Amino acid sequence: MQTTGKPERLFGRDAEWRELTEFAASPTIGATLGLVYGRRRQGKTLMLELLTRQTSGFLFAATQQSETQNLADLGAAYGAFLGLRQPVSFPSWREALEELFRLGENRAVPVIIDEFPYLVNASPGLPSYLQQALSPLGFAKEHTRTRMILCGSALTTMAQLLGGGAPLRGRASMELVVRPFRYREAAAFWQVSHDPELAFRLHALVGGTPAYLEMSGGSAPSSAAEFDEWVARRLLNPASAMFREGGLLLREESSIADPTSYAATLAALCAGNHRRSEIASALGRPSSALGHLLSGLRDIGLIDQIDDALREKRSVYRIAEPVVRFHQLLIQRHEPALVIGRASQVWAGNADTVAGKIYGPHFEDLAREWCFEHADPGTLGGMAARVRPTEIACREHRQGHEIDIVVTESPSFAAERITAIGEAKGTSTAMDVPHLERLEHLRGLLPAAKVGPLPKLLLFSRSGFTDALRRVADARADIELVDLARMYGGS
């Protein structure tokens, strides 16, 4: 098999590429099955096409059509792969699978079926046929080294292939989920790592989906000074490919039967309702009726559920895909004005909404992500096992106080303990000493049973810190100040 390093054309995806190449090149006798899935526009097809090219493998991209039409297209692709002058005729999927698995008789070869959910929709029995073809004593398992990869963007359909009593449960040796780039990787992809403020604003609006760079005109604004004009031209322009993207993400998922109810749930979340009871109140529904809506949105990667750090069975929900939040708060609400060309006015007139409901929550998310993925143990007072928010009661002020960041570690054979707490401010004003004093007050309210050594205090600020706060922090080992530059380049 021809295997070399990762192609230059493929940005990032080091872990994904390693998993794919190891799966495809495995010398073990016996056909194997792998799944690759993720939301659309994450670069799955590009990655698999590059793998096919490097390994001389076979790739078939299904389309939304009948079983007969798909079998005809597969036969044409199969014949072309073998160098035949005429397409091969497959009377059924059983015969087609038998021939596809024979491709690995002489060497380890990847056989990739892209958009597999299209085939399942037209041929519901296909997973069962695959189960039979991969029988432990069957020809494929005993005499071939075919590495079959099923790829798709219908997240629910793909995940269900291996779940519960599904025919393929236990048959796959690889399940690779391709997710959007993380925030540092996204900054490098957009070539804005040199400007953390610009990188943050971009990520807060468009997230880490690779295809959004091309859909936004192929380049980022050259500086933060040009950002507003870029947003008006590339995101709020009805002629842009990004204009309706935030609404299409929900409607392109086949498992969402009633997009209206799910869209209303997203709107409630974007408006700042993060607890289940708050969402229910905004929708005018009982809390017990939200289960399928929240789980459905979580399954397709549009929202996350974050457990409370101190109270069991209490959680908050957050928007996981920034373009959905941007669409709900700006495009959907102001579409008539945007259609007639008032993008700059809409963007300027909603500065408070952008600051409070987009930049603020997003900065908190990135602060938690930094703690978990980039901060070293010395910064956090230990190794972060989980990073979550919480709300803690205060008798002095007779109210609950929110804590944006609670870092806990789980030592071996010991109870989980809090090593640090933090506050994150994505506003345009610098953090000052009162923010530290508030955080010290909250540290004193932590339950003694969950605290080991004195937890560290983490202050995250998008706009930096006052000189007075820096002087205090410099004199104390229990305080860490984290600005955007450190979030994007330090630990």
Side-chain angles (χ1 to χ4, degrees):
M1 172 173 290
Q2 304 170 12
T3 53
T4 59
K6 191 186 73 173
E8 290 185 5
R9 184 173 176 181
L10 184 62
F11 179 88
R13 305 300 188 200
D14 295 337
E16 292 90 339
W17 184 256
R18 182 174 61 253
E19 294 294 337
L20 284 173
T21 52
E22 288 181 358
F23 175 82
S26 172
T28 306
I29 292 295
T32 53
L33 178 68
L35 267 63
V36 175
Y37 59 96
R39 288 211 321 268
R40 295 192 185 280
R41 294 173 280 285
Q42 303 306 324
K44 303 183 301 296
T45 298
L46 171 62
M47 191 159 51
L48 293 174
E49 287 180 347
L50 291 171
L51 177 70
T52 302
R53 180 181 298 177
Q54 285 203 358
T55 59
S56 300
F58 172 77
L59 186 147
F60 170 66
T63 56
Q64 289 181 299
Q65 55 185 1
S66 70
E67 176 178 298
T68 300
Q69 291 169 315
N70 274 315
L71 284 171
D73 287 350
L74 176 63
Y78 180 78
F81 177 75
L82 295 180
L84 305 178
R85 300 180 64 180
Q86 297 293 329
V88 175
S89 177
F90 292 130
S92 72
W93 273 111
R94 286 190 173 89
E95 286 80 0
L97 292 174
E98 181 180 345
E99 291 303 314
L100 290 178
F101 278 113
R102 286 186 178 276
L103 291 175
E105 285 186 275
N106 299 318
R107 65 182 178 96
V109 57
V111 174
I112 300 166
I113 301 179
D114 198 6
E115 298 296 356
F116 185 71
Y118 290 160
L119 301 183
V120 175
N121 289 340
S123 309
L126 184 51
S128 295
Y129 304 152
L130 269 169
Q131 177 193 29
Q132 294 171 356
L134 290 168
S135 171
L137 298 180
F139 179 85
K141 274 293 187 182
E142 294 205 323
H143 301 286
T144 82
R145 286 180 289 165
T146 302
R147 309 303 175 215
M148 180 164 284
I149 299 175
L150 310 179
C151 180
S153 300
L155 301 185
T156 305
T157 301
M158 294 298 294
Q160 288 176 347
L161 290 174
L162 305 181
L168 293 177
R169 179 173 173 79
R171 301 288 184 181
S173 59
M174 179 185 71
E175 185 176 7
L176 182 62
V177 182
V178 182
R179 296 181 171 87
F181 291 142
R182 310 298 284 174
Y183 75 92
R184 283 190 178 182
E185 199 171 21
F189 182 70
W190 283 76
Q191 299 183 19
V192 292
S193 297
H194 64 283
D195 189 339
E197 172 64 23
L198 177 58
F200 167 74
R201 292 191 204 176
L202 274 172
H203 196 266
L205 300 190
V206 300
T209 294
Y212 292 166
L213 174 57
E214 182 177 352
M215 292 170 63
S216 300
S219 63
S222 59
S223 67
E226 296 182 4
F227 185 71
D228 293 347
E229 181 183 350
W230 183 88
V231 170
R233 179 73 182 90
R234 299 301 182 187
L235 304 184
L236 295 176
N237 180 0
S240 168
M242 290 296 295
F243 188 73
R244 302 195 184 279
E245 177 67 9
L248 293 176
L249 286 178
L250 186 63
R251 288 169 172 78
E252 68 186 12
E253 174 57 48
S254 59
S255 65
I256 301 298
D258 177 20
T260 302
S261 295
Y262 289 91
T265 305
L266 290 173
L269 274 164
C270 292
N273 303 290
H274 299 296
R275 301 195 184 280
R276 191 182 183 115
S277 58
E278 295 170 347
I279 300 168
S281 177
L283 296 180
R285 295 188 179 194
S287 182
S288 58
L290 295 184
H292 72 288
L293 295 173
L294 294 172
S295 62
L297 291 170
R298 192 172 63 247
D299 290 344
I300 62 175
L302 297 188
I303 69 172
D304 286 333
Q305 180 179 351
I306 306 175
D307 294 332
D308 190 286
L310 298 179
R311 287 175 287 185
E312 295 183 2
K313 298 182 180 179
R314 181 162 184 173
S315 56
V316 294
Y317 296 88
R318 59 174 284 276
I319 297 293
E321 177 48 66
V323 297
V324 169
R325 182 170 51 201
F326 184 78
H327 180 85
Q328 290 282 345
L329 292 175
L330 273 82
I331 295 177
Q332 184 166 291
R333 294 186 182 185
H334 304 282
E335 185 169 351
L338 294 172
V339 167
I340 61 173
R342 294 179 180 170
S344 296
Q345 295 92 319
V346 168
W347 178 247
N350 284 273
D352 290 343
T353 296
V354 173
K357 295 184 178 178
I358 295 181
Y359 290 157
H362 197 71
F363 188 74
E364 292 178 16
D365 291 339
L366 294 196
R368 285 189 285 267
E369 186 176 327
W370 182 84
C371 288
F372 188 70
E373 297 186 7
H374 302 295
D376 60 40
T379 296
L380 302 178
M383 182 64 69
R386 291 195 285 182
V387 183
R388 297 160 292 172
T390 192
E391 183 177 308
I392 194 165
C394 176
R395 292 183 178 179
E396 178 182 344
H397 297 105
R398 298 182 180 180
Q399 66 178 25
H401 294 299
E402 292 186 357
I403 304 179
D404 300 328
I405 298 157
V406 178
V407 181
T408 56
E409 74 170 357
S410 301
S412 299
F413 308 107
E416 184 179 76
R417 68 183 184 91
I418 298 171
T419 66
I421 63 171
E423 182 169 356
K425 291 297 181 186
T427 60
S428 58
T429 57
M431 264 188 163
D432 203 351
V433 174
H435 293 98
L436 172 62
E437 293 171 343
R438 176 184 182 273
L439 201 55
E440 285 185 297
H441 172 67
L442 297 181
R443 182 169 63 180
L445 300 177
L446 295 173
K450 291 184 176 289
V451 177
L454 191 68
K456 298 195 73 170
L457 303 176
L458 314 175
L459 294 167
F460 292 81
S461 175
R462 175 185 165 205
S463 302
F465 310 92
T466 64
D467 291 339
L469 178 55
R470 288 190 180 277
R471 284 194 295 269
V472 174
D474 288 342
R476 292 172 51 177
D478 64 328
I479 300 172
E480 295 282 347
L481 304 184
V482 186
D483 56 13
L484 275 175
R486 189 174 177 186
M487 288 175 67
Y488 273 88
S491 60

